[in-house]
Amino acid sequence: MTDQRPEPIFNAPWPALLAVAAVIVPHALLLKAGDATIESLALIPREFWAGRWTGAITMMFVHGGWVHALMNAAFALAFGAPVARLLGLDGRGGAIFCLFYLACGALSGVGYAMIHPDSAGAVIGASGAVSGLMGAAARTMDSPGQVGPILGPRVISLGLGWLVVNLVMAVAGGLLTMGTGAVAWEAHLVGFVVGVLLIGPFARWTGPPAGTIDPH
């Protein structure tokens, strides 16, 4: 007889926890920041096209309130976990996870700026990056441990559900106002599509999962 170790109650992979920290820690540090600081970190489409490109990255680390930050953190943990396990839990896999997260967030911001190129409104939050994790996770649900088809059943069902949620946001007011900034619903949809499309190349970048046999 061998003793079986009980499964830990909380065993989230460390890259997913890092994504959570990337939401919570900057928000806590910026609680007393003034409007000028928040706007300097936000994505402002008109300024983005004028050459201030950093907003597409820095907006991910700014949130308008604890509700906003905690919602993004919870979704980052839920959808980041399967993506992190797919990409690997070693240093290389963690680094690729971080690059994937940042790419989804930045491209969601660029997508929003393309839709509203003349907007002077400040857009903040990691919702685009988290939506990218959602899209990537959807592709793992149809094929556990590997990347499933782009138009797999879970991708379509989760994508349609996310579309409906964000269309409700659009009807309710176009932008979900969060304190001194806003999270654009269009960025959520762009982030989801980006995550669905990019998880394949990023997973190939990590190489075959441990224990698999290369048929070639």
PDB file of all heavy atoms in Angstrom, residues 35-51:
ATOM      1  N   ASP A  35      -5.574  62.249 -11.431  1.00  0.00           N
ATOM      2  CA  ASP A  35      -6.113  62.050 -12.774  1.00  0.00           C
ATOM      3  C   ASP A  35      -5.037  62.143 -13.844  1.00  0.00           C
ATOM      4  O   ASP A  35      -5.073  61.405 -14.831  1.00  0.00           O
ATOM      5  CB  ASP A  35      -7.200  63.099 -13.058  1.00  0.00           C
ATOM      6  CG  ASP A  35      -8.454  62.875 -12.215  1.00  0.00           C
ATOM      7  OD1 ASP A  35      -8.554  61.807 -11.586  1.00  0.00           O
ATOM      8  OD2 ASP A  35      -9.315  63.769 -12.197  1.00  0.00           O
ATOM      9  N   ALA A  36      -4.080  63.040 -13.647  1.00  0.00           N
ATOM     10  CA  ALA A  36      -3.026  63.211 -14.652  1.00  0.00           C
ATOM     11  C   ALA A  36      -2.195  61.942 -14.789  1.00  0.00           C
ATOM     12  O   ALA A  36      -1.815  61.545 -15.907  1.00  0.00           O
ATOM     13  CB  ALA A  36      -2.126  64.391 -14.278  1.00  0.00           C
ATOM     14  N   THR A  37      -1.914  61.280 -13.678  1.00  0.00           N
ATOM     15  CA  THR A  37      -1.141  60.037 -13.714  1.00  0.00           C
ATOM     16  C   THR A  37      -1.926  58.940 -14.413  1.00  0.00           C
ATOM     17  O   THR A  37      -1.380  58.201 -15.250  1.00  0.00           O
ATOM     18  CB  THR A  37      -0.777  59.588 -12.286  1.00  0.00           C
ATOM     19  OG1 THR A  37       0.015  60.606 -11.668  1.00  0.00           O
ATOM     20  CG2 THR A  37      -0.001  58.285 -12.310  1.00  0.00           C
ATOM     21  N   ILE A  38      -3.206  58.823 -14.070  1.00  0.00           N
ATOM     22  CA  ILE A  38      -4.048  57.797 -14.682  1.00  0.00           C
ATOM     23  C   ILE A  38      -4.133  58.019 -16.189  1.00  0.00           C
ATOM     24  O   ILE A  38      -3.987  57.068 -16.974  1.00  0.00           O
ATOM     25  CB  ILE A  38      -5.452  57.807 -14.060  1.00  0.00           C
ATOM     26  CG1 ILE A  38      -5.375  57.469 -12.564  1.00  0.00           C
ATOM     27  CG2 ILE A  38      -6.362  56.815 -14.777  1.00  0.00           C
ATOM     28  CD1 ILE A  38      -4.786  56.124 -12.256  1.00  0.00           C
ATOM     29  N   GLU A  39      -4.345  59.233 -16.611  1.00  0.00           N
ATOM     30  CA  GLU A  39      -4.460  59.526 -18.039  1.00  0.00           C
ATOM     31  C   GLU A  39      -3.145  59.285 -18.771  1.00  0.00           C
ATOM     32  O   GLU A  39      -3.144  58.899 -19.941  1.00  0.00           O
ATOM     33  CB  GLU A  39      -4.928  60.961 -18.251  1.00  0.00           C
ATOM     34  CG  GLU A  39      -6.384  61.180 -17.849  1.00  0.00           C
ATOM     35  CD  GLU A  39      -6.887  62.567 -18.209  1.00  0.00           C
ATOM     36  OE1 GLU A  39      -6.114  63.332 -18.827  1.00  0.00           O
ATOM     37  OE2 GLU A  39      -8.037  62.886 -17.856  1.00  0.00           O
ATOM     38  N   SER A  40      -2.026  59.494 -18.083  1.00  0.00           N
ATOM     39  CA  SER A  40      -0.730  59.256 -18.725  1.00  0.00           C
ATOM     40  C   SER A  40      -0.494  57.771 -18.969  1.00  0.00           C
ATOM     41  O   SER A  40       0.303  57.401 -19.841  1.00  0.00           O
ATOM     42  CB  SER A  40       0.397  59.820 -17.858  1.00  0.00           C
ATOM     43  OG  SER A  40       0.586  59.044 -16.679  1.00  0.00           O
ATOM     44  N   LEU A  41      -1.182  56.912 -18.216  1.00  0.00           N
ATOM     45  CA  LEU A  41      -1.036  55.468 -18.371  1.00  0.00           C
ATOM     46  C   LEU A  41      -2.137  54.864 -19.229  1.00  0.00           C
ATOM     47  O   LEU A  41      -2.008  53.726 -19.701  1.00  0.00           O
ATOM     48  CB  LEU A  41      -1.047  54.794 -16.994  1.00  0.00           C
ATOM     49  CG  LEU A  41       0.101  55.173 -16.042  1.00  0.00           C
ATOM     50  CD1 LEU A  41      -0.155  54.608 -14.654  1.00  0.00           C
ATOM     51  CD2 LEU A  41       1.435  54.684 -16.582  1.00  0.00           C
ATOM     52  N   ALA A  42      -3.216  55.583 -19.432  1.00  0.00           N
ATOM     53  CA  ALA A  42      -4.360  55.078 -20.177  1.00  0.00           C
ATOM     54  C   ALA A  42      -4.083  55.065 -21.679  1.00  0.00           C
ATOM     55  O   ALA A  42      -3.158  55.724 -22.174  1.00  0.00           O
ATOM     56  CB  ALA A  42      -5.593  55.924 -19.886  1.00  0.00           C
ATOM     57  N   LEU A  43      -4.913  54.304 -22.391  1.00  0.00           N
ATOM     58  CA  LEU A  43      -4.900  54.346 -23.850  1.00  0.00           C
ATOM     59  C   LEU A  43      -5.886  55.414 -24.299  1.00  0.00           C
ATOM     60  O   LEU A  43      -7.074  55.345 -23.994  1.00  0.00           O
ATOM     61  CB  LEU A  43      -5.310  52.996 -24.437  1.00  0.00           C
ATOM     62  CG  LEU A  43      -5.566  52.985 -25.947  1.00  0.00           C
ATOM     63  CD1 LEU A  43      -4.276  53.202 -26.711  1.00  0.00           C
ATOM     64  CD2 LEU A  43      -6.239  51.689 -26.372  1.00  0.00           C
ATOM     65  N   ILE A  44      -5.377  56.411 -25.011  1.00  0.00           N
ATOM     66  CA  ILE A  44      -6.225  57.450 -25.593  1.00  0.00           C
ATOM     67  C   ILE A  44      -6.036  57.347 -27.103  1.00  0.00           C
ATOM     68  O   ILE A  44      -4.959  57.691 -27.622  1.00  0.00           O
ATOM     69  CB  ILE A  44      -5.838  58.842 -25.078  1.00  0.00           C
ATOM     70  CG1 ILE A  44      -5.980  58.871 -23.543  1.00  0.00           C
ATOM     71  CG2 ILE A  44      -6.709  59.915 -25.729  1.00  0.00           C
ATOM     72  CD1 ILE A  44      -5.534  60.170 -22.907  1.00  0.00           C
ATOM     73  N   PRO A  45      -7.025  56.823 -27.826  1.00  0.00           N
ATOM     74  CA  PRO A  45      -6.836  56.527 -29.257  1.00  0.00           C
ATOM     75  C   PRO A  45      -6.241  57.667 -30.063  1.00  0.00           C
ATOM     76  O   PRO A  45      -5.324  57.446 -30.863  1.00  0.00           O
ATOM     77  CB  PRO A  45      -8.254  56.187 -29.707  1.00  0.00           C
ATOM     78  CG  PRO A  45      -8.889  55.583 -28.500  1.00  0.00           C
ATOM     79  CD  PRO A  45      -8.354  56.387 -27.354  1.00  0.00           C
ATOM     80  N   ARG A  46      -6.737  58.880 -29.873  1.00  0.00           N
ATOM     81  CA  ARG A  46      -6.220  60.001 -30.657  1.00  0.00           C
ATOM     82  C   ARG A  46      -4.737  60.223 -30.403  1.00  0.00           C
ATOM     83  O   ARG A  46      -3.961  60.481 -31.333  1.00  0.00           O
ATOM     84  CB  ARG A  46      -7.014  61.280 -30.334  1.00  0.00           C
ATOM     85  CG  ARG A  46      -6.665  62.479 -31.212  1.00  0.00           C
ATOM     86  CD  ARG A  46      -7.660  63.596 -31.014  1.00  0.00           C
ATOM     87  NE  ARG A  46      -7.633  64.116 -29.638  1.00  0.00           N
ATOM     88  CZ  ARG A  46      -8.487  65.017 -29.181  1.00  0.00           C
ATOM     89  NH1 ARG A  46      -9.465  65.471 -29.969  1.00  0.00           N
ATOM     90  NH2 ARG A  46      -8.401  65.461 -27.941  1.00  0.00           N
ATOM     91  N   GLU A  47      -4.323  60.086 -29.154  1.00  0.00           N
ATOM     92  CA  GLU A  47      -2.910  60.252 -28.832  1.00  0.00           C
ATOM     93  C   GLU A  47      -2.094  59.043 -29.284  1.00  0.00           C
ATOM     94  O   GLU A  47      -0.914  59.184 -29.627  1.00  0.00           O
ATOM     95  CB  GLU A  47      -2.750  60.470 -27.326  1.00  0.00           C
ATOM     96  CG  GLU A  47      -3.363  61.773 -26.839  1.00  0.00           C
ATOM     97  CD  GLU A  47      -3.093  62.020 -25.365  1.00  0.00           C
ATOM     98  OE1 GLU A  47      -2.299  61.252 -24.769  1.00  0.00           O
ATOM     99  OE2 GLU A  47      -3.667  62.977 -24.814  1.00  0.00           O
ATOM    100  N   PHE A  48      -2.718  57.860 -29.278  1.00  0.00           N
ATOM    101  CA  PHE A  48      -2.026  56.663 -29.753  1.00  0.00           C
ATOM    102  C   PHE A  48      -1.593  56.850 -31.204  1.00  0.00           C
ATOM    103  O   PHE A  48      -0.446  56.568 -31.571  1.00  0.00           O
ATOM    104  CB  PHE A  48      -2.945  55.449 -29.623  1.00  0.00           C
ATOM    105  CG  PHE A  48      -2.361  54.176 -30.182  1.00  0.00           C
ATOM    106  CD1 PHE A  48      -1.513  53.392 -29.407  1.00  0.00           C
ATOM    107  CD2 PHE A  48      -2.645  53.768 -31.478  1.00  0.00           C
ATOM    108  CE1 PHE A  48      -0.961  52.220 -29.920  1.00  0.00           C
ATOM    109  CE2 PHE A  48      -2.106  52.597 -31.994  1.00  0.00           C
ATOM    110  CZ  PHE A  48      -1.258  51.822 -31.215  1.00  0.00           C
ATOM    111  N   TRP A  49      -2.508  57.330 -32.040  1.00  0.00           N
ATOM    112  CA  TRP A  49      -2.174  57.522 -33.454  1.00  0.00           C
ATOM    113  C   TRP A  49      -1.265  58.711 -33.679  1.00  0.00           C
ATOM    114  O   TRP A  49      -0.675  58.853 -34.747  1.00  0.00           O
ATOM    115  CB  TRP A  49      -3.450  57.667 -34.275  1.00  0.00           C
ATOM    116  CG  TRP A  49      -4.287  56.418 -34.257  1.00  0.00           C
ATOM    117  CD1 TRP A  49      -5.540  56.285 -33.787  1.00  0.00           C
ATOM    118  CD2 TRP A  49      -3.890  55.110 -34.712  1.00  0.00           C
ATOM    119  NE1 TRP A  49      -5.982  54.978 -33.908  1.00  0.00           N
ATOM    120  CE2 TRP A  49      -4.991  54.244 -34.478  1.00  0.00           C
ATOM    121  CE3 TRP A  49      -2.744  54.594 -35.290  1.00  0.00           C
ATOM    122  CZ2 TRP A  49      -4.957  52.887 -34.805  1.00  0.00           C
ATOM    123  CZ3 TRP A  49      -2.701  53.250 -35.603  1.00  0.00           C
ATOM    124  CH2 TRP A  49      -3.785  52.409 -35.364  1.00  0.00           C
ATOM    125  N   ALA A  50      -1.129  59.566 -32.654  1.00  0.00           N
ATOM    126  CA  ALA A  50      -0.189  60.684 -32.736  1.00  0.00           C
ATOM    127  C   ALA A  50       1.210  60.270 -32.306  1.00  0.00           C
ATOM    128  O   ALA A  50       2.149  61.078 -32.385  1.00  0.00           O
ATOM    129  CB  ALA A  50      -0.683  61.847 -31.881  1.00  0.00           C
ATOM    130  N   GLY A  51       1.363  59.028 -31.860  1.00  0.00           N
ATOM    131  CA  GLY A  51       2.691  58.523 -31.525  1.00  0.00           C
ATOM    132  C   GLY A  51       2.882  58.071 -30.097  1.00  0.00           C
ATOM    133  O   GLY A  51       3.946  57.536 -29.753  1.00  0.00           O
TER     134      GLY A  51
END
